[in-house]
Amino acid sequence: MASVSGSYLGFDFSTQQVKVVAIDEDLQVIYQNSIQFDTDLPMYRTQGGVHIHNDNLTVTAPVLMWVQALDILLEKMKTSGFDFASVKALSGSGQQHGSVYWKKGAREILQSTSCNKSLHDLLKNCFSVTDSPVWMDSSTSLECKHLEQSVGGALNLAYITGSRAYERFTGNQIAKIFKMKTEEYNQTERISLVSSFAASLFLGDYAAVDYSDGSGMNLLDIHKREWSKQCLEVCAPELEEKLGTPVSSMSVLGSVSSHLVRHYGFSLACKVIAFTGDNPGSLAGMRLKEGDIAVSLGTSDTVFLWIQNPNPTVEGHIFCNPVDIKDYMALICYKNGSITRERIRNECAAGSWEEFSSALKSTPIGNNGNLGIFCDVMEITPSGMLGVHRFNEDSIKVPHFSKPIEIRALIEGQFLARRLHAEKLGYKIIHGTRILATGGASSNKDILQVLADVFNAPVFTIDTTNSSCLGCAYRAKHGILSEMGVTFAEAVKMAPEPTQVVTPTPGAEQVYRPLLARYAQLEEKVFLESKQ
Ligand code: ADP
Ligand code: XUL
C-alpha cells in the first residue's frame, strides 16, 4: 500500500464485528476491514456476536473475543501493508451500554510493554467477569425499578441522566453484577464501557469513559457532566473509583501503547482520542445538521437527532453530544432491527435480500391496509412489547399474511414506529428535512424507498455503511485540532457530502399519514396487552 503523509483510524467494536476505517488528511477513505465474531472466531460460539442465555433476557459476549478480534484485525492490516507509521491519531466506538470488568492487577499487565505476546494472550486472565453484559440484555427490571424509586421516580431520573431507567443501561447492569456476582465485583479494579475498554487496548492503560457514551449508563448527570453521586450509591459500592473520571469525547487520552508501536510500527506520537458509543460515533460520521434525522439500520435500529436544549422525557434518551461540548443528541433505540428483518428474509425470501426487495417492489404502498408489529425479542421502544401481531385493513388480528405482504408489513411497521416515536419526542419533519441512513441495511435501496415514503422525505447515505468508524476517524483528526480551538464542523468541512439515494413516491404521504394514526392506536393496544 502506498504511504500517505498522515492518516487517522476509526474503529468500531459493534455487536457482530470489529471494523476499521482509515482516512487521509483530505478525509478520503483509504482502507477498510472487519472481523466477524461468529465466522472469524467460531470457537466463542456466538450467534450475532452474543450469547443469549436460557432465561431469554440475559445477553452477554465474551470479552476475550473482542480482544482477539482486534489482534486479528491489526494483523490483517499489517499483512496488507497498511502504513501504521503514518497514523497521527486514532479513535473508535463500541456498542453502547455493555460493561467490562477488569480484575485487580490488570492495569499493570495492560501497561506491560516487554512481552511479544498478542493482546489476547497478554490479557487472558485480566477480567473478573469474562462474559460481559451487552445492550441486548433485558434482565435488570428489578434494578431499574429500585433506581427509579430511589431518585424520586422515572422522570426525575431522566432529568438527571437523560433517560429513565432502562434494563440495558450500564448502572443497572453493574447493580445486577454486584448482587449476583459479589465476589467478582469485589475483585474488580476498573469497570469500562465497551468503548473505553477498546480505547484501553490502544492506550495500554485504563481509558476514561467519555461524556457521550457515559450518558447511556443512568449514572452520569448530563447537565453537570459528572457522575451523579446519588445514582452511583444506589447501584453499587465504591463505584466512583471503579469508573474513573469521565472526560469530554474529544479528549486526547495519550499516545498509543509501546506494545502497538513495537508490534505494528505505530509512531510513538500517535494519539488516542477518547472512544465513544456507536450511535454518537455515527452522528459524527453523518455530520448531522439541524433538521436532519439519522436512521441507523444495524443490528438494532436507532433514530437520532442533534439537539441544543434537551427536554428529557420517559421515552427515548438524551446523550451529551460527542462533537460539541455544549450540545446534546436525542436517541431512540429499537431492538428489533436487522435481527427481525433477517428472520423474515430467511422465512419469506429464501434467505435472499434480492428476493426480499422483489417482494417490496411487488406490493403496494400501504400494503392494502395490512399492518404488522414484529417483536422477535423484547422491544425497547415501547418497552416490553413482544411477539408478532398482524392486523388486516379493518384492524382485526389475523394469524398470517402471504410472504410478500409479510415482508412489506414488517418494513412499513418498523418505519411507522420510527416516525411515531421521533414525533412523540417533538421531532417535526420540515421542508428540507434530510433522512440520513446508515448501518448494514442502508445498502438496500428498496428498504430505503419505504423509509422515504413513510417519512415523506428524501433519504441520503454516505459511501460507507460504517458511519461510526468513519465518524471516529473524523473525531481522531478533530481531537488533535480541537486542542487548537478548531470546531468539528470546521475539521470535517472537506468530507464528501452524503448522496441522495431515494425520494418519496408521489402520493405516499396521503397513504401513510392515516396509516400512522392507525399504527399508533394498534401499537398502544399491543403495548397495553403486553403489560397485563
Ligand atoms: P452492527 O449493528 O453490528 O454494526 P451493521 O450496521 O453492520 O451491524 O448491520 C449488519 C446488518 O445489516 C446485518 O445483520 C444484515 O441483516 C443487514 N444487511 C446487510 N446487507 C443487507 C441488505 N442488502 N439488505 C438488508 N439488510 C442488510
Ligand atoms: C443504543 C443501543 C444500541 C447499541 C448497539 O442505545 O442500545 O444501538 O449501541 O448498537
Side-chain angles (χ1 to χ4, degrees), residues 244-266:
T245 310
V247 297
S248 142
S249 312
M250 50 208 101
S251 307
V252 178
L253 300 176
S255 299
V256 282
S257 70
S258 30
H259 181 87
L260 291 190
V261 171
R262 288 194 326 145
H263 269 248
Y264 300 104
F266 275 99

Side-chain angles (χ1 to χ4, degrees), residues 15 95-97 135 168 278-279 300 302 317 319 331 333:
T15 316
Q95 49 171 304
Q96 297 199 256
H97 320 295
W135 67 274
R168 70 191 190 288
D278 54 357
N279 295 296
S300 63
T302 56
H317 317 294
F319 294 159
L331 177 127
C333 183

Side-chain angles (χ1 to χ4, degrees), residues 443-454:
S443 61
N444 188 321
K445 218 170 152 181
D446 302 290
I447 291 181
L448 296 187
Q449 184 64 57
V450 182
L451 182 63
D453 290 345
V454 169

Side-chain angles (χ1 to χ4, degrees), residues 352-378:
S352 144
W353 287 123
E354 288 72 35
E355 227 171 276
F356 191 94
S357 286
S358 305
L360 286 177
K361 282 189 283 209
S362 71
T363 43
I365 286 177
N367 216 8
N368 293 324
N370 295 299
L371 268 174
I373 298 174
F374 294 77
C375 301
D376 287 5
V377 282
M378 200 186 275

Side-chain angles (χ1 to χ4, degrees), residues 34-318:
S34 66
I35 300 295
Q36 304 287 324
F37 301 133
D38 292 1
T39 48
D40 292 324
L41 291 157
M43 55 287 211
Y44 291 99
R45 297 173 187 278
T46 55
Q47 270 188 341
V50 300
H51 293 145
I52 301 182
H53 296 229
N54 287 340
D55 62 359
N56 262 328
L57 298 173
T58 309
V59 184
T60 59
V63 60
L64 279 172
M65 175 180 78
W66 295 331
V67 180
Q68 199 168 358
L70 178 62
D71 280 331
I72 302 175
L73 183 60
L74 291 172
E75 282 302 331
K76 258 190 166 179
M77 293 175 79
K78 190 172 165 180
T79 311
S80 69
F82 183 81
D83 179 15
F84 287 100
S86 71
V87 182
K88 289 189 177 167
L90 64 87
S91 189
S93 61
Q95 49 171 304
Q96 297 199 256
H97 320 295
S99 43
V100 171
Y101 299 79
W102 299 89
K103 205 189 261 178
K104 284 187 179 146
R107 182 176 210 165
E108 232 167 278
I109 300 175
L110 193 55
Q111 288 171 335
S112 73
T113 55
S114 58
C115 79
N116 278 321
K117 289 181 179 168
S118 62
L119 283 172
H120 168 251
D121 255 356
L122 188 70
L123 301 177
K124 64 173 182 275
N125 294 317
C126 282
F127 303 99
S128 46
V129 176
T130 52
D131 288 296
S132 283
V134 297
W135 67 274
M136 291 167 77
D137 186 285
S138 40
S139 67
T140 63
S141 300
L142 285 177
E143 288 76 10
C144 287
K145 211 173 269 169
H146 180 56
L147 178 59
E148 286 182 348
Q149 277 167 358
S150 309
V151 302
L155 193 57
N156 265 355
L157 184 64
Y159 284 148
I160 304 170
T161 69
S163 305
R164 67 159 174 77
Y166 280 88
E167 277 79 359
R168 70 191 190 288
F169 273 44
T170 327
N172 309 305
Q173 294 293 338
I174 295 172
K176 180 184 160 197
I177 294 277
F178 170 64
K179 204 156 67 186
M180 313 293 281
K181 299 187 177 208
T182 313
E183 187 55 32
E184 288 88 334
Y185 181 85
N186 291 333
Q187 275 303 310
T188 300
E189 68 181 15
R190 181 74 168 218
I191 301 174
S192 297
L193 290 177
V194 178
S195 57
S196 59
F197 145 80
S200 308
L201 301 180
F202 289 94
L203 196 61
D205 199 353
Y206 291 147
V209 169
D210 76 296
Y211 296 148
S212 196
D213 207 15
S215 311
M217 301 174 78
N218 278 144
L219 294 178
L220 188 82
D221 181 323
I222 59 161
H223 310 280
K224 296 189 185 143
R225 292 176 161 83
E226 58 189 41
W227 299 125
S228 152
K229 294 218 168 7
Q230 199 185 3
C231 296
L232 292 180
E233 269 162 31
V234 178
C235 288
E238 291 161 30
L239 198 43
E240 192 157 10
E241 296 89 276
K242 292 191 204 296
L243 289 173
T245 310
V247 297
S248 142
S249 312
M250 50 208 101
S251 307
V252 178
L253 300 176
S255 299
V256 282
S257 70
S258 30
H259 181 87
L260 291 190
V261 171
R262 288 194 326 145
H263 269 248
Y264 300 104
F266 275 99
S267 148
L268 276 171
C270 173
K271 298 289 181 245
V272 179
I273 311 304
F275 281 36
T276 190
D278 54 357
N279 295 296
S282 284
L283 178 134
M286 311 297 296
R287 297 190 296 139
L288 223 63
K289 293 195 197 111
E290 185 96 56
D292 292 342
I293 181 162
V295 178
S296 166
L297 304 169
T299 306
S300 63
D301 282 358
T302 56
V303 171
F304 48 87
L305 313 162
W306 180 304
I307 51 169
Q308 280 166 344
N309 301 306
N311 182 21
T313 67
V314 291
E315 196 170 88
H317 317 294
I318 306 288

